Amino acid sequence: IVNSDSMGINIKIGQENELKVMKNCSVITVPYETSSGGVGALTLFGPTRMEYDKVNPPLENNSKKIKKNLDKK
């Protein structure tokens, strides 16, 4: 569902999703990488019709917060 090769925000809407069961959904992924080399992603699954301009900034902000907190450990 999620491509972990890219380090930028990734949005797949409806038919762009590879899995048939996800054709009516959107998948927004914001990856992060810690200073120690760990990688992860914050992912939101939702309807194809959503206010992306309101969803993306909080996802990106939370991804940065997760990275910052993991880097503290």
Side-chain angles (χ1 to χ4, degrees):
I1 296 173
V2 176
N3 179 2
S4 61
D5 293 340
S6 68
M7 285 309 289
I9 191 166
N10 186 346
I11 301 173
K12 292 190 177 187
I13 302 170
Q15 298 297 320
E16 296 173 359
N17 290 303
E18 297 171 14
L19 296 177
K20 186 176 181 178
V21 297
M22 299 298 292
K23 298 296 182 189
N24 294 320
C25 300
S26 290
V27 180
I28 304 172
T29 306
V30 182
Y32 59 85
E33 184 173 359
T34 66
S35 58
S36 63
V39 294
L42 186 59
T43 303
L44 175 74
F45 298 91
T48 55
R49 294 180 184 251
M50 69 171 93
E51 296 183 56
Y52 294 95
D53 58 332
K54 292 183 180 178
V55 173
N56 292 349
L59 279 175
E60 290 175 319
N61 187 38
N62 284 319
S63 177
K64 289 175 186 175
K65 287 180 180 180
I66 290 170
K67 178 192 177 322
K68 184 178 178 180
N69 285 328
L70 290 173
D71 282 343
K72 288 181 182 178
K73 296 183 181 218

